Amino acid sequence: MGTFEEHEVARRRFDVADAAPLLLDAAGVVTSWSAGAQRLLAYPAAEAVGRTLADLVTEEDAGRVPGLVEQWGRDGGWAGLLSVRRADGRPVRVMVRIAAAEETRGPSRWLALLSEMAGAPGWDMQRTVLEQMVDRSPIGIAIVDTDLRYVWSNAALAQFGGGPPVRRLGLRLADIQPGLDSAAIEAQMRHVLATGEPVIGYEHVGSVRSAPHRETAHVLSFTRLDDERGHPMGVYYTVVDITAHHRARQRLALLDRAGAYIGRSLDIVRTAQELADVAVPALADLVVVDLLESVLRGAEPASGPLDGTDPVRLRRAGRTSDQEGDDGAAHTDARSTSDALGIGAPAVYPPGSPPIRCLATGRSWREERLDPLAREWGAGTPGSQGATSWDLAPHSAMVVPVRARGVTLGVTTFFRRHRQEPFDEDDLSLAEDLVSRAAVCVDNARRYTRERDAALALQRNLLPHRLPDQDAVEVAACYRPANELTGLGGDWYDLIPLSGARVALVVGEVPGHGIDAAAAMGRLRTAVRTLAALDLPPHEVLAHLDDLVGRTAQEESAAPESGAAEDDSTQAVGSGCLYVVHDPVDGRCSMAAAGHPAPAVVRPDGTITFVELPQGPPLGAGGPPFESVEMILPEGSTLALYTDGLLACGEEWSEDANRDRLRKALARSAPSLDLRCRAVVDTLAPARPRDDVALLMARTRRLDADRVASWVLPADPAVVADARKTAGRRLSDWGLDELAFITELVVSELVTNAIRHASGPIRLRLIKDRTLICEVFDGGATAPHLRHPRTTDEGGRGLLLVSQFTQRWGTRFLPEGKVIWAEQSLTDAPL
């Protein structure tokens, strides 16, 4: 604490024996002067005696003296601070005590004790004053000796239990407060004894004897006491109860953790489990979260509390216990989350039980002391499925309804079984705050689940479940949604069978993600399939699609506000599309692009190139006309059509670098085209990419020469009969004699129409594919129309007969004319 001299100086500041005495009469006149007074004020006795006290103090305090003389005469004494003036004129602040020196009928002389206050913190207190201070202090104060045994304590310390001060004498802290960690507290005392350094604000949490069933918090401060020689003689310490502050701080910390921990995902069950995890062990020893079945499905529950009349279908969505291995099952977050009920199992409570009452009323329920014989929760009752684990012996419980936006979603039950302190109103308020925060997250997850399920169902219906069977290409596709809230987007792919055994390969993407993008994608995909049925060249398909998107967006923009329904129409603006047509007869491949990457081509020898394809503008954006590119692909070439998300790897790459990455991925071999397609996506796109990814790979095939027959016919009606016979002989060679009659009829009608209404050379072609295809080429530019002749009409029945006897028929235009075609099934018996 300091040197011996410093200690002596400090002692004298408060020692009455060191005070300077003098005597005053009843009027406050000095009647006797001591040597101590002379040392303090430098007045000799001859100059001081006979002067009034007012003459000795400064001008500021001189006016107070008459009132003070009257006060100490009335009260029998006085103590306080005055400023006296030394003989040299210097003021000195002194502590003055006035006490009666002799009494007859009343005090006639007064003893005044003056103590200089220079460097002193204040009054030099009498022992009685000091005792009043410590005895009446609301702060617990105690002194222990060097053996850490109590030698003194004040009455306030008894508020923590352990009896009055006299019962503490000679005892250690562990003898008085067994519920505290006495070893940790005494370690602080020993540190102070050894170093002399005080310990201020040491916080300790435990159970004191005055409240053995609740956790209390205290802040302690320790100071060493030394004797006159500076040797340690003990430790003086104070104790302040900060339980209310400690619990408020715990609540704020728990709410802060809940805000950061709950609702990190949009998964309903995970959010419910996060609520249970946060509350254990900070608030409860066991927490279970039961949600309505409809909530887990993402359905909209009834608004307001449940009426309690219909059966309540609850399922366990979350559970956490402070003990590992409850019921012997696995656990998460280092705490058991198992129960007799597993996550997702039905939680059945009998009518009238606290959870059912909370669902019906929408109000919380709390029971400080549970009756272990009361089985109102349903354990052990008929029909109960163990919704509450009574084997865990909880002694206090709370049930809080999970409510958000006026809707009851379920209930959360809190139990205490190890901590003896029951739940109080503050605990219930904290639980309600926690659950209300989690309820909003659960409801957000429910709404997301509903929208996501609807969007996924929509997209599943919009994307092809399986690509159609055909002989033009071997095809494989892979789609991977982006890591967005909905997990889906506007990318799509398609394979569309065309006339003449040809196929159209389509890949496209709509900007954005979610249900609006999926809806816009569905509209575009439908439009592409409709346009493909017209057998238009690729650039014309894109031109019509571009016109459709632009016109629709313009109409929607000009229309009055109609809500969210307008979004999917305007969202298609800026979409990309790649349209490729492959002909397996001659290997001809034509394609056009609208704001979309050009496809890669893997040649049979392994060479990988990218098609030099003119880039048209995105759909609906306006710009130069679209252009088609045509090429001959060797049989076994593989086309790779992809959306730009395949190369969006999260880093800034140039187009050449991206193509090089794709080239390396395509160069890797795989046992099948399906595996190769998936391997390319796995290599270039992460499991949850930032953008949607679609990859369509098609390995080209050629029809064998003996499956195609072609004849050039003169424009002479007499050739019709020869054409019928020639076609019949080819069907006989193919083993299709059962189709001969209908085929000869079709050939006769189509060739006759070409001779009558067209010009230029006429060519007849038969293709044996999965269907029997009959095509007639001519130089005409007008399309034939199906007529419905009357009974009396002599002609006009040709195309009507073709449409009735074939599976489908149509017209496609070529630069040099047109083709009228008809298909017959090879499996269905002819009519």
Side-chain angles (χ1 to χ4, degrees):
M1 184 169 182
T3 65
F4 174 75
E5 290 77 10
E6 291 174 338
H7 176 79
E8 191 65 19
V9 170
R11 183 190 66 78
R12 285 200 300 268
R13 288 176 183 167
F14 300 98
D15 197 337
V16 176
D18 296 327
L22 57 99
L23 290 177
L24 303 173
D25 64 10
V29 177
V30 178
T31 60
S32 177
W33 193 254
S34 66
Q38 184 173 342
R39 286 192 305 271
L40 178 62
L41 300 180
Y43 289 105
E47 295 184 14
V49 175
R51 301 178 68 173
T52 64
L53 181 61
D55 294 334
L56 298 175
V57 300
T58 61
E59 293 181 2
E60 291 82 1
D61 286 346
R64 298 173 55 201
V65 172
L68 295 177
V69 172
E70 181 181 350
Q71 180 179 348
W72 73 57
R74 182 179 64 250
D75 297 338
W78 177 80
L81 298 176
L82 290 174
S83 294
V84 298
R85 186 175 64 250
R86 288 171 54 90
D88 58 6
R90 181 169 61 85
V92 177
R93 195 72 168 168
V94 296
M95 173 67 187
V96 180
R97 286 196 184 88
I98 305 294
E102 62 179 43
E103 297 186 19
T104 53
R105 295 180 181 178
S108 58
R109 291 204 300 171
W110 299 89
L111 174 65
L113 299 175
L114 281 65
S115 301
E116 186 177 3
M117 298 301 295
W123 290 6
D124 57 337
M125 302 296 181
Q126 293 178 336
R127 175 170 179 161
T128 56
V129 176
L130 294 174
E131 287 179 349
Q132 290 181 56
M133 289 174 56
V134 295
D135 285 341
R136 297 178 183 178
S137 172
I139 298 174
I141 304 173
I143 299 175
V144 297
D145 60 16
T146 54
D147 293 328
L148 305 184
R149 296 185 180 277
Y150 284 94
V151 296
W152 181 90
S153 61
N154 69 344
L157 200 63
Q159 66 180 304
F160 304 109
V166 67
R167 291 178 55 185
R168 297 175 180 268
L169 297 178
L171 299 178
R172 296 274 294 270
L173 179 62
D175 303 326
I176 298 171
Q177 297 289 358
L180 298 180
D181 186 358
S182 58
I185 298 175
E186 290 185 347
Q188 299 296 321
M189 296 180 183
R190 290 192 178 92
H191 172 77
V192 173
L193 282 172
T195 64
E197 299 175 354
V199 174
I200 309 299
Y202 173 74
E203 293 190 14
H204 182 77
V205 179
S207 298
V208 296
R209 280 192 168 180
S210 60
H213 299 314
R214 54 190 298 265
E215 189 178 72
T216 55
H218 310 88
V219 61
L220 300 92
S221 297
F222 306 90
T223 305
R224 192 175 77 179
L225 297 177
D226 298 339
D227 60 17
E228 290 80 359
R229 296 180 300 277
H231 297 159
M233 57 184 295
V235 174
Y236 160 88
Y237 75 89
T238 60
V239 185
V240 178
D241 189 337
I242 59 167
T243 301
H245 174 71
H246 175 72
R247 297 189 70 178
R249 191 168 56 190
Q250 282 185 317
R251 285 180 170 85
L252 289 176
L254 181 58
L255 291 175
D256 183 66
R257 181 169 181 255
Y261 190 79
I262 300 175
R264 295 178 296 173
S265 71
L266 288 173
D267 182 272
I268 298 175
V269 174
R270 180 176 176 182
T271 302
Q273 185 60 51
E274 289 169 348
L275 168 60
D277 290 342
V278 164
V280 176
L283 179 60
D285 299 327
L286 171 64
V287 175
V288 293
V289 183
D290 300 320
L291 299 178
L292 297 172
E293 283 187 354
S294 58
V295 172
L296 293 173
R297 295 194 306 268
E300 190 75 30
S303 60
L306 304 178
D307 58 13
T309 57
D310 296 330
V312 179
R313 297 183 178 273
L314 294 168
R315 288 190 178 272
R316 183 63 40 87
R319 181 189 186 279
T320 301
S321 167
D322 64 344
Q323 293 294 311
E324 298 182 5
D326 285 346
D327 301 314
H331 58 87
T332 62
D333 194 24
R335 294 187 293 271
S336 174
T337 56
S338 65
D339 193 53
L341 292 184
I343 301 300
V348 180
Y349 297 98
S353 61
I356 300 302
R357 292 205 301 268
C358 288
L359 286 171
T361 63
R363 294 191 296 271
S364 302
W365 175 91
R366 176 177 64 91
E367 184 62 45
E368 293 186 7
R369 296 294 177 187
L370 292 175
D371 182 356
L373 300 179
R375 293 296 191 254
E376 61 176 343
W377 293 78
T381 60
S384 169
Q385 297 184 19
T388 303
S389 293
W390 284 97
D391 293 341
L392 303 179
H395 65 80
S396 187
M398 300 184 297
V399 183
V400 179
V402 181
R403 287 177 54 78
R405 302 178 179 94
V407 175
T408 302
L409 309 174
V411 290
T412 302
T413 308
F414 302 81
F415 294 102
R416 280 184 179 168
R417 49 179 178 166
H418 299 300
R419 284 186 288 182
Q420 297 183 0
E421 181 182 359
F423 290 117
D424 57 20
E425 285 295 334
D426 289 339
D427 293 323
L428 181 60
S429 176
L430 177 60
E432 289 175 338
D433 201 350
L434 281 176
V435 173
S436 66
R437 294 184 180 208
V440 174
C441 298
V442 169
D443 193 49
N444 289 340
R446 177 192 64 80
R447 291 166 179 256
Y448 158 72
T449 299
R450 179 185 61 188
E451 179 173 343
R452 183 176 184 273
D453 289 347
L456 287 176
L458 173 64
Q459 191 170 47
R460 281 193 298 266
N461 290 329
L462 293 176
L463 288 176
H465 295 285
R466 59 184 299 272
L467 297 174
D469 295 331
Q470 38 72 46
D471 292 335
V473 291
E474 177 188 357
V475 68
C478 182
Y479 173 80
R480 184 165 292 171
N483 188 15
E484 293 288 330
L485 291 181
T486 55
L488 53 90
D491 289 16
W492 89 94
Y493 59 87
D494 208 348
L495 184 146
I496 307 170
L498 302 177
S499 64
R502 299 168 306 133
V503 292
L505 305 171
V506 188
V507 167
E509 55 185 322
V510 173
H513 308 278
I515 195 168
D516 291 335
M521 176 270 287
R523 296 180 65 169
L524 284 183
R525 179 171 178 260
T526 301
V528 170
R529 294 184 71 89
T530 301
L531 292 171
L534 299 178
D535 267 330
L536 300 174
H539 65 279
E540 291 190 25
V541 170
L542 294 183
H544 285 291
L545 191 63
D546 175 71
D547 181 65
L548 174 65
V549 171
R551 187 172 65 251
T552 303
Q554 186 177 11
E555 293 173 355
E556 291 292 345
S557 299
E561 294 292 333
S562 57
E566 64 184 356
D567 294 343
D568 62 340
S569 299
T570 58
Q571 187 154 0
V573 175
S575 300
C577 184
L578 174 64
Y579 190 86
V580 179
V581 175
H582 171 64
D583 190 340
V585 175
D586 54 10
R588 194 177 304 274
C589 188
S590 59
M591 62 188 72
H596 199 88
V601 179
V602 183
R603 303 280 177 171
D605 60 1
T607 304
I608 301 175
T609 60
F610 289 86
V611 179
E612 295 297 328
L613 183 62
Q615 276 296 318
L619 298 175
F626 300 99
E627 297 182 47
S628 291
V629 168
E630 191 173 278
M631 64 186 68
I632 303 295
L633 291 179
E635 183 176 8
S637 300
T638 301
L639 282 165
L641 291 70
Y642 56 92
T643 58
D644 56 9
L646 181 65
L647 301 179
C649 61
E651 300 182 26
E652 294 296 330
W653 294 84
S654 65
E655 182 180 1
D656 291 339
N658 282 333
R659 286 187 169 186
D660 188 57
R661 292 171 55 235
L662 179 57
R663 185 180 287 108
K664 291 179 180 179
L666 290 172
R668 298 174 183 174
S669 60
S672 67
L673 190 62
D674 281 328
L675 295 177
R676 189 177 187 182
C677 181
R678 187 167 299 276
V680 171
V681 174
D682 291 340
T683 300
L684 299 179
R688 299 298 299 272
R690 291 187 310 167
D691 196 8
D692 306 307
V693 173
L695 174 63
L696 179 66
M697 298 184 69
R699 182 177 293 135
T700 62
R701 294 170 175 161
R702 289 283 187 93
L703 294 180
D704 295 337
D706 61 354
R707 295 174 59 184
V708 180
S710 180
W711 303 273
V712 177
L713 305 177
D716 183 358
V719 81
V720 174
D722 294 334
R724 287 199 303 266
K725 295 177 182 179
T726 302
R729 287 194 295 268
R730 178 48 61 108
L731 291 182
S732 179
D733 295 340
W734 286 342
L736 300 177
D737 294 317
E738 67 276 10
L739 299 180
F741 175 76
I742 295 178
T743 304
E744 291 177 2
L745 175 63
V746 170
V747 168
S748 177
E749 295 297 335
L750 296 184
V751 171
T752 300
N753 281 340
I755 293 173
R756 288 182 178 178
H757 305 291
S759 60
I762 299 173
R763 184 160 60 94
L764 170 65
R765 186 170 71 171
L766 296 179
I767 302 173
K768 180 187 176 185
D769 190 33
R770 292 177 180 265
T771 59
L772 177 62
I773 304 169
C774 178
E775 298 179 329
V776 174
F777 298 74
D778 62 52
T782 58
H785 296 285
L786 182 66
R787 297 172 55 188
H788 296 277
R790 293 171 295 182
T791 306
T792 57
D793 290 343
E794 296 183 359
R797 295 180 175 82
L799 290 180
L800 178 62
L801 292 175
V802 171
S803 67
Q804 293 294 317
F805 288 107
T806 60
Q807 195 174 45
R808 62 180 188 140
W809 74 281
T811 304
R812 70 174 182 271
F813 289 91
L814 304 173
E816 63 275 11
K818 69 175 183 296
V819 180
I820 304 177
W821 55 269
E823 292 183 5
Q824 300 177 67
S825 173
L826 297 182
T827 56
D828 296 338
L831 297 177

